Amino acid sequence: MKYLGKLSGFARLMRPVFLILGIAVITCVAVVTVYLISAHTTSSGKRSIKSIGDSVTITFDEADIPHIKAKSQADALFALGYLHASERSWQMEINRRLASGRLSEILGSDTVKIDRFMRTLGIKRAAEQQFDRHSVGTKRLLQAYADGVNAGNAHLGWALPIEYFLTGSKPGHWSPTDSIAWMLMMDFDLGGNWSKELQRLELSQFLTTKQVWDVLPPYIQGEPVTNVDFSKMYRDLGVYPASVKGSSSQSHKLPANDLSANDLPGGKDGIGSNNWALSGKLTASGKPLLANDPHLGLSAPAIWYFAHLDAPGMNVIGGTLPGIPAIILGRTDQFAWSFTNTNPDVQDLYIERIDSQNPGMYQGPQGLMPFKVRQEIIDVKGEPSITFIVKETRHGPVISDAYARAKRSIDTDRFALALRWNALDVENHSMDGILEMNRSKDLNAFKQALRNIFAPMQNIVMADIDGNIAYQAAGVAPKRTLHQGLYGVAPALGWDKQYDWTGYVPYDQLPASNNPEQGWIATANQRIIAANDPNPLTADWDLPTRYNRIVELIQGKSMHDLDSMKAMQADTLSLGATPLLDLFKSTTSSHPLAAQALAVSKDFNGDMKIDSPGALIFNVWADQLTRNLFSRLGYLFTDQYGARSYRAALTEQVQNPNSPWCDDPKTPQVESCQDASNNAFDKALTYLSKEYGSNPQQWSWGNAHIAVSEHRPLGKVPVLGRFFNIQTPFPGDSFTVNVGRLELNNPNNPYQTLQAPSMRTIYDLSDLEKSLFIYPTGQSGWVQSKLYRNLNSLWAKNEYLPLQMKPASTKRQLELNSQ
């Protein structure tokens, strides 16, 4: 009884505490409830807005695609901006800050390195200069869109998306130049040749030019586009820092807080897309079919937002990029179009020689020249502002002051690395071309609009209801001559005029095709050369695995329909794996699980199916084999692995059973490629048994190959990431038509994918209302909305939704009225 009395007394003492806790819980629940009720996660009803010209009606179909009906193009784009802000406010805010180099204002010191690099490139400054060169009509439409964005953000009120509360921030003002800046960021994401040039410079510190070509082989084996011995040239000039002399490639790792090759947009293998068109001679309907799946980084929400714009002189539906006032990929009621990345070499690094007497000067072709300089200030949340100087040469911004990889690669007392990039040119007015594309009444007008596309250069495959299929490379690229100079493969000497750009390839000399006799057109970032110009647009095309497989699938049937187009987009046979299968299956191992692993892999043919144990075993083996061959490069390998797959180098080296790259330099004996393969298999089984258990029959590719649509930046926060990220098992690999590029540098899971089809579309030109689309997340950027992730399972299983201008039903309506 005494004990019970003590408990009773304790309870009396704790009553105030319980009361306070109860009140706190009730208050939290009340606040969350009020927030969820107040947050405008789905727009409907009527809104009165000062800055709109006339009333606009927006209906949302069953796929939640908004159909914007307006009386002018300016009002249509105002409404699109309003919807982008209503649905994707945080995504637009983080993108605006990324392009402007202003992330640190809300995210703190962790993003200073990114901000400094973006300020050095001068993305926002270039956008402001380019805006003045756009047509008056385009400027007005950009302003109308920006007004819509700002009106949409204002309408959100206090109940902003959760990210704003977590970062203590609010939506900033959107300007017309923010749209152009985001276009430039998309250009940068689709570029990246400069990163390969830098890698060749880094490798040349320790390797001969021939060995550099072993690691980064030319597109056609044994046929590099330049004959220059650049490795010797750099060493003879004394380009490298003194600390490198006598050291090895095992040292000089970057500090953990510096930018790596995987921290910046662009510069990664496999950033590209697939598209193909079939003429009526190959289709059951007798009319063309067109397919497209752009391979961009997965994000939550997705990069795309689908919409329909219907206004006088404009009737177009498809994928928009929040921040840009246009349909980027889509169709009208007469034709459809698709993009893949042509991936031309439009970025060159230049080694600039600094004057030893005056570091404010550098050597030009005719003598010394002053660096252009400007001061930048980065405001950092919770810390003092950072002031720094950006330098520019006649070629462009000096990146070696802002990027540790570049700084580590040269003697910065004597040299600087500057970037020449066409997208920064003041003549870049691609927004004119994009808006003209949206206004085009037919395919001929659309082709004319493509002449105003400056950057990024794209492979545009088109088809119309009259039965035409066509291809055009649109954009600008510097003129180069095969085997002359460095051909853009490695940093050039800034003081030598022979390496300067002498103009761009004329539009009429770019690759093009109209209604080819074979009845099909396909691109997948493979080598493309114009018939009237034998000089390739770059030396760094992607491996042609996806293109070759698409051609196989097209030629494998005499007649195609929507179902066969779907099957092609879902195809997971890896032509990047098949050349390695003989070596893989000839492996011998004494590992306890070897017999079982080889048994479940014996019928594996390179098809990266989600339930395949063979696909998992093969990919882990190929990863370990790659590390066996190239990890001797030390930081020069580890810094790039993930951004580069090294598959071309691996495949080429193991063709020679006694390749010196297969020998383990740490052992006294000389190993063959078979020995390296056996060792890789042992390592693979050790890893697999640790991660997935000791029964190989229960292993599957989907256990490891997880598609992660990552929220920026909260997806990297351990607890919040589970809430904001969207994950699903996914088939394919870095080389399949249904691509899923491996993140081989990720220590937690090297086999996850952050880059896959960012959307899929199929257009049936016999009836464009039968067109289909899907993408990885959902239309909404509000994490608490069911529309944030509702498309993910459909996308993962290659299922589709209708892309219709005249949907059978609508589920809600929004009216924007002028006050």
Side-chain angles (χ1 to χ4, degrees):
M1 294 296 291
K2 256 186 198 181
Y3 179 69
L4 292 176
K6 287 181 180 179
L7 280 179
S8 176
F10 178 75
R12 283 195 299 271
L13 290 171
M14 291 300 294
R15 277 176 188 165
V17 177
F18 292 144
L19 181 61
I20 293 170
L21 287 174
I23 292 171
V25 170
I26 292 170
T27 301
C28 288
V29 170
V31 169
V32 170
T33 302
V34 171
Y35 169 77
L36 292 175
I37 292 172
S38 303
H40 299 292
T41 57
T42 51
S43 300
S44 61
K46 297 182 179 181
R47 305 279 186 272
S48 294
I49 301 172
K50 290 181 180 179
S51 47
I52 195 170
D54 209 332
S55 60
V56 176
T57 300
I58 306 169
T59 56
F60 294 80
D61 64 22
E62 293 297 325
D64 207 58
I65 294 176
H67 298 260
I68 299 171
K69 180 71 173 177
K71 296 176 184 177
S72 71
Q73 293 178 21
D75 286 343
L77 294 181
F78 178 99
L80 181 63
Y82 186 94
L83 288 175
H84 280 166
S86 300
E87 302 280 2
R88 303 289 187 86
S89 178
W90 174 257
Q91 181 183 37
M92 294 183 70
E93 178 67 9
I94 208 74
N95 290 346
R96 181 183 71 85
R97 288 183 173 278
L98 173 62
S100 301
R102 296 180 58 190
L103 291 170
S104 302
E105 293 175 4
I106 63 171
L107 300 179
S109 58
D110 287 346
T111 53
V112 166
K113 297 287 185 181
I114 295 174
D115 282 347
R116 179 164 183 167
F117 188 80
M118 292 305 162
R119 296 281 189 97
T120 298
L121 288 184
I123 297 286
K124 187 63 187 290
R125 291 180 75 254
E128 290 167 347
Q129 294 166 358
Q130 292 169 5
F131 176 74
D132 292 335
R133 296 294 187 99
H134 282 75
S135 68
V136 172
T138 294
K139 290 179 184 177
R140 287 174 177 166
L141 293 177
L142 284 166
Q143 185 63 60
Y145 174 80
D147 291 342
V149 173
N150 293 321
N153 275 327
H155 177 72
L156 295 176
W158 73 270
L160 296 168
I162 296 170
E163 294 94 329
Y164 288 110
F165 295 104
L166 293 173
T167 57
S169 60
K170 292 182 179 180
H173 179 78
W174 191 273
S175 71
T177 56
D178 287 320
S179 292
I180 297 175
W182 190 239
M183 273 283 294
L184 291 176
M185 285 303 302
M186 294 306 302
D187 298 347
F188 193 65
D189 193 35
L190 292 168
N193 172 265
W194 72 275
S195 182
K196 270 198 172 178
E197 290 187 32
L198 180 57
Q199 189 180 8
R200 292 188 178 103
L201 174 65
E202 292 174 311
L203 290 168
S204 296
Q205 297 176 55
F206 307 103
L207 304 179
T208 65
T209 298
K210 179 184 180 302
Q211 290 171 324
V212 173
W213 286 119
D214 286 345
V215 177
L216 295 174
Y219 187 77
I220 299 176
Q221 188 171 338
E223 295 185 18
V225 295
T226 177
N227 296 321
V228 174
D229 187 349
F230 50 83
S231 178
K232 181 178 185 299
M233 179 178 74
Y234 297 142
R235 287 197 297 272
D236 288 348
L237 285 168
V239 165
Y240 301 115
S243 60
V244 169
K245 297 173 183 177
S247 66
S248 78
S249 60
Q250 302 296 324
S251 58
H252 302 287
K253 285 184 68 68
L254 296 175
N257 65 339
D258 273 307
L259 295 175
S260 74
N262 295 281
D263 291 327
L264 295 173
K268 300 177 179 67
D269 288 346
I271 290 183
S273 312
N274 304 318
N275 63 4
W276 62 88
L278 309 180
S279 74
K281 67 171 66 174
L282 298 179
T283 68
S285 70
K287 291 287 188 178
L289 291 167
L290 173 66
N292 192 198
D293 52 295
H295 305 158
L296 301 172
L298 299 179
S299 63
I303 192 173
W304 300 104
Y305 178 83
F306 273 69
H308 175 202
L309 304 175
D310 185 0
M314 177 186 288
N315 187 24
V316 60
I317 188 172
T320 72
L321 296 169
I324 298 175
I327 304 296
I328 303 298
L329 292 170
R331 69 173 182 88
T332 68
D333 57 0
Q334 299 293 312
F335 64 90
W337 75 94
S338 61
F339 286 178
T340 71
N341 195 15
T342 315
N343 200 26
D345 183 357
V346 295
Q347 297 172 332
D348 278 359
L349 288 179
Y350 285 88
I351 300 172
E352 309 285 12
R353 183 148 53 193
I354 301 170
D355 179 32
S356 60
Q357 303 300 315
N358 183 356
M361 307 287 285
Y362 69 99
Q363 184 180 345
Q366 275 82 45
L368 294 178
M369 303 177 68
F371 287 102
K372 292 181 181 179
V373 297
R374 68 177 188 272
Q375 179 177 281
E376 293 280 354
I377 301 173
I378 298 175
D379 293 327
V380 184
K381 182 179 180 180
E383 297 186 16
S385 298
I386 295 172
T387 301
F388 64 99
I389 299 297
V390 173
K391 294 186 294 189
E392 290 187 19
T393 72
R394 65 193 185 94
H395 296 113
V398 172
I399 66 166
S400 49
D401 290 343
Y403 188 39
R405 265 189 70 207
K407 188 173 185 178
R408 176 187 62 188
S409 303
I410 58 172
D411 181 350
T412 52
D413 290 332
R414 301 175 58 225
F415 299 98
L417 274 178
L419 174 65
R420 174 76 171 98
W421 176 29
N422 73 329
L424 296 178
D425 289 6
V426 72
E427 295 84 6
N428 181 2
H429 47 87
S430 294
M431 200 70 73
D432 284 339
I434 290 172
L435 288 168
E436 285 181 33
M437 287 162 49
N438 281 201
R439 292 190 289 257
S440 298
K441 294 181 179 179
D442 55 37
L443 207 53
N444 287 330
F446 184 84
K447 291 177 182 177
Q448 282 299 116
L450 297 181
R451 290 179 174 271
N452 283 320
I453 300 298
F454 193 94
M457 181 180 282
Q458 295 288 286
N459 297 316
I460 303 178
V461 175
M462 306 153 267
D464 69 10
I465 60 175
D466 294 328
N468 298 298
I469 63 172
Y471 162 79
Q472 177 68 54
V476 302
K479 294 178 181 178
R480 302 183 193 274
T481 302
L482 202 58
H483 300 124
Q484 179 176 306
L486 283 164
Y487 212 85
V489 303
L493 309 183
W495 57 90
D496 191 334
K497 198 169 184 179
Q498 69 164 312
Y499 298 114
D500 287 353
W501 291 3
T502 58
Y504 292 128
V505 179
Y507 183 87
D508 292 327
Q509 289 183 17
L510 294 174
S513 176
N514 291 287
N515 296 317
E517 182 61 31
Q518 64 192 12
W520 58 268
I521 299 169
T523 77
N525 318 115
Q526 81 283 4
R527 185 184 190 189
I528 293 173
I529 300 178
N532 60 347
D533 186 353
N535 298 306
L537 293 168
T538 183
D540 291 316
W541 308 101
D542 278 6
L543 285 173
T545 55
R546 287 179 284 110
Y547 173 76
N548 291 343
R549 181 58 179 161
I550 290 167
V551 173
E552 285 181 3
L553 293 168
I554 291 174
Q555 297 178 338
K557 288 181 63 120
S558 58
M559 285 293 156
H560 290 269
D561 56 18
L562 278 175
D563 286 339
S564 63
M565 299 287 274
K566 292 178 186 178
M568 289 173 67
Q569 286 192 330
D571 189 77
T572 52
L573 182 66
S574 174
L575 299 190
T578 49
L580 298 172
L581 287 179
D582 286 345
L583 181 61
F584 172 64
K585 293 186 177 183
S586 66
T587 295
T588 59
S589 171
S590 59
H591 194 282
L593 297 179
Q596 295 178 64
L598 289 169
V600 299
S601 303
K602 64 181 176 64
D603 295 324
F604 175 65
N605 65 348
D607 197 344
M608 303 299 173
K609 294 180 180 179
I610 204 167
D611 59 353
S612 169
L616 177 60
I617 297 167
F618 172 86
N619 277 292
V620 181
W621 165 83
D623 174 26
Q624 295 297 337
L625 183 58
T626 305
R627 294 173 190 270
N628 279 353
L629 265 66
F630 301 113
S631 61
R632 70 195 65 190
L633 297 172
Y635 74 88
L636 298 176
F637 172 76
T638 55
D639 282 0
Q640 288 292 310
Y641 199 37
R644 306 270 176 259
S645 72
Y646 294 86
R647 182 58 57 88
L650 177 67
T651 303
E652 185 173 315
Q653 290 307 314
V654 299
Q655 289 174 357
N656 172 11
N658 297 310
S659 166
W661 289 94
C662 290
D663 176 42
D664 185 350
K666 296 177 182 177
T667 66
Q669 64 268 28
V670 177
E671 285 85 4
S672 67
C673 290
Q674 186 65 64
D675 295 327
S677 172
N678 296 344
N679 177 266
F681 199 78
D682 288 343
K683 291 178 179 178
L685 295 183
T686 298
Y687 172 87
L688 287 165
S689 59
K690 179 182 176 182
E691 295 292 325
Y692 305 110
S694 57
N695 185 353
Q697 293 181 338
Q698 294 180 357
W699 296 343
S700 70
W701 184 219
N703 292 152
H705 197 232
I706 307 296
V708 182
S709 295
E710 189 174 66
H711 184 278
R712 294 167 188 165
L714 301 179
K716 294 189 182 297
V717 180
V719 176
L720 294 176
R722 295 186 180 183
F723 184 54
F724 284 97
N725 292 344
I726 301 172
Q727 302 187 43
T728 186
F730 198 72
D733 71 358
S734 302
F735 312 99
T736 52
V737 176
N738 191 14
V739 74
R741 191 179 70 84
L742 309 187
E743 295 293 319
L744 294 165
N745 66 316
N746 187 321
N748 297 319
N749 180 6
Y751 313 110
Q752 72 176 20
T753 179
L754 301 177
Q755 187 181 309
S758 63
M759 72 147 121
R760 301 187 190 97
T761 50
I762 302 175
Y763 305 99
D764 185 343
L765 279 298
S766 70
D767 180 0
L768 278 166
E769 289 294 280
K770 293 180 181 176
S771 299
L772 303 169
F773 87 101
I774 198 66
Y775 66 92
T777 61
Q779 289 279 83
S780 179
W782 295 81
V783 70
Q784 68 266 40
S785 170
K786 66 179 180 180
L787 301 175
Y788 182 78
R789 62 184 75 229
N790 63 309
L791 304 183
N792 186 249
S793 62
L794 298 175
W795 170 80
K797 294 183 288 188
N798 275 86
E799 298 178 3
Y800 298 78
L801 293 173
L803 185 60
Q804 298 175 328
M805 287 184 167
K806 301 174 182 177
S809 61
T810 59
K811 62 181 184 179
R812 57 189 167 100
Q813 181 169 304
L814 172 66
E815 292 183 21
L816 304 181
N817 299 315
S818 59
Q819 286 185 349

